Amino acid sequence: MVLLACLATSVALLPLLYLVIRAAEYPLEDFLSTVFSARSARLASTSLALTAIVTVISVVIGLGLAVLVTRTRIPLRRTLAVAAALPLAVP
């Protein structure tokens, strides 16, 4: 079992290893100028903003569904609970 876990971890880390090898091919100055460029900062800020927006929306929807399922007596309450949990089970 441990061998299988180590194998799965190794397979999962292969893309990261590839990126490190490819990044090591470039001179350090080029790498740093690319990583700390204005475009990279803009992309990072856009990603962080999207993450924050999606998190807030998910919390609002999740709390709303939790209140509906646990604190009310609406019809098909159990069906709603199962439907709300389906995204967690289906990748």
Side-chain angles (χ1 to χ4, degrees):
M1 193 68 158
V2 173
L3 183 63
L4 186 60
C6 289
L7 179 66
T9 303
S10 299
V11 169
L13 290 177
L14 275 176
L16 182 60
L17 178 64
Y18 174 76
L19 287 175
V20 168
I21 291 171
R22 290 297 306 255
E25 293 176 359
Y26 293 100
L28 183 61
E29 296 82 24
D30 290 346
F31 177 76
L32 291 177
S33 67
T34 302
V35 170
F36 295 109
S37 68
R39 181 173 185 262
S40 294
R42 188 174 63 249
L43 291 171
S45 65
T46 302
S47 295
L48 289 173
L50 181 62
T51 301
I53 291 167
V54 169
T55 299
V56 168
I57 292 171
S58 296
V59 166
V60 168
I61 291 172
L63 282 174
L65 285 172
V67 168
L68 281 175
V69 169
T70 59
R71 304 275 181 167
T72 64
R73 296 191 181 272
I74 60 172
L76 301 173
R77 184 175 67 173
R78 290 186 180 160
T79 306
L80 180 62
V82 170
L86 277 178
L88 299 173
V90 180

